[in-house]
Amino acid sequence: SGQPLHKILLELHDQNWLKHNDRQTPLKKSFLAELWKMDKSNLRLCLTRLEKKIVAFCLLRFLGDTAHALMMGQDYDCGRKIPIYFNAVYYEPIIRGISEGWKKIFFRPGVYKAKLRRGFQLENLYLYVKGHCKMTRKLLDIYISMAWKHFHDKWVPPKLLNY
């Protein structure tokens, strides 16, 4: 279309943001261009094209050995006709991650929030550990209950529900 890539991506991101937040994206028009200049070596861009036109993208940023899905966008007019969201956000980054040897991909809490809005439900997780030594069992019980409480208090409410 002759537009710079960062403008195309920001327009797609804006469509996604508007659909899920009922307002325009708070990002400045120069955000992606500046991000690319400042941190190009840590960024990976996964594009989905339809007839040479970019219809969706997922931008990932590496911190250590983990790729963080920083932002995504899609053309919702094309998305009604063909399922491009999962290809752009999940399948393409996972396939690329396997081929490039990434260790982890973190899809961020916003993805969970969007799933909850679409009707997904949270499931309770349970962990059963049996220690054969009474002393080890007691220590394990204390450690696991503290770790679970930390995980639940620090990750689930602020990251999942209040993002």
Side-chain angles (χ1 to χ4, degrees):
S1 69
Q3 279 189 315
L5 180 61
H6 64 88
K7 286 188 178 182
I8 295 169
L9 300 182
L10 197 58
E11 285 175 12
L12 294 173
H13 174 70
D14 197 41
Q15 283 187 40
N16 186 63
W17 190 269
L18 185 61
K19 182 169 178 69
H20 294 290
N21 299 293
D22 296 323
R23 59 189 170 94
Q24 298 291 320
T25 181
L27 299 176
K28 293 180 181 178
K29 300 292 181 200
S30 61
F31 172 77
L32 284 169
E34 293 298 320
L35 180 65
W36 201 256
K37 282 181 199 171
M38 290 173 28
D39 202 19
K40 186 176 182 177
S41 64
N42 290 322
L43 298 175
R44 302 295 184 278
L45 181 61
C46 298
L47 298 173
T48 301
R49 296 176 192 267
L50 181 64
E51 299 171 2
K52 297 185 180 182
K53 178 185 174 195
I54 298 171
V55 293
F57 79 96
C58 182
L59 180 65
L60 300 118
R61 181 171 187 261
F62 274 85
L63 296 172
D65 64 351
T66 303
H68 294 260
L70 192 59
M71 63 191 306
M72 69 83 55
Q74 78 177 62
D75 182 341
Y76 278 93
D77 292 332
C78 292
R80 287 187 194 107
K81 300 172 194 158
I82 57 169
I84 60 173
Y85 175 80
F86 282 99
N87 184 49
V89 177
Y90 294 108
Y91 301 144
E92 181 62 29
I94 290 170
I95 289 168
R96 189 166 175 188
I98 290 169
S99 68
E100 294 182 13
W102 302 351
K103 300 288 183 204
K104 295 181 250 178
I105 301 175
F106 180 55
F107 286 105
R108 304 179 61 88
V111 173
Y112 298 111
K113 187 177 174 185
K115 287 180 181 179
L116 289 172
R117 280 197 309 267
R118 291 183 180 120
F120 286 74
Q121 295 179 351
L122 296 176
E123 294 287 331
N124 289 326
L125 296 176
Y126 299 95
L127 177 65
Y128 176 76
V129 178
K130 176 154 174 82
H132 296 289
C133 171
K134 285 184 181 183
M135 179 67 163
T136 305
R137 189 177 328 144
K138 284 290 182 198
L139 290 172
L140 219 61
D141 286 345
I142 293 169
Y143 174 75
I144 290 172
S145 65
M146 288 171 52
W148 182 254
K149 182 171 179 10
H150 174 77
F151 169 77
H152 189 270
D153 290 349
K154 301 292 184 211
W155 191 84
V156 175
K159 299 279 197 273
L160 181 59
L161 303 177
N162 298 325
Y163 179 73

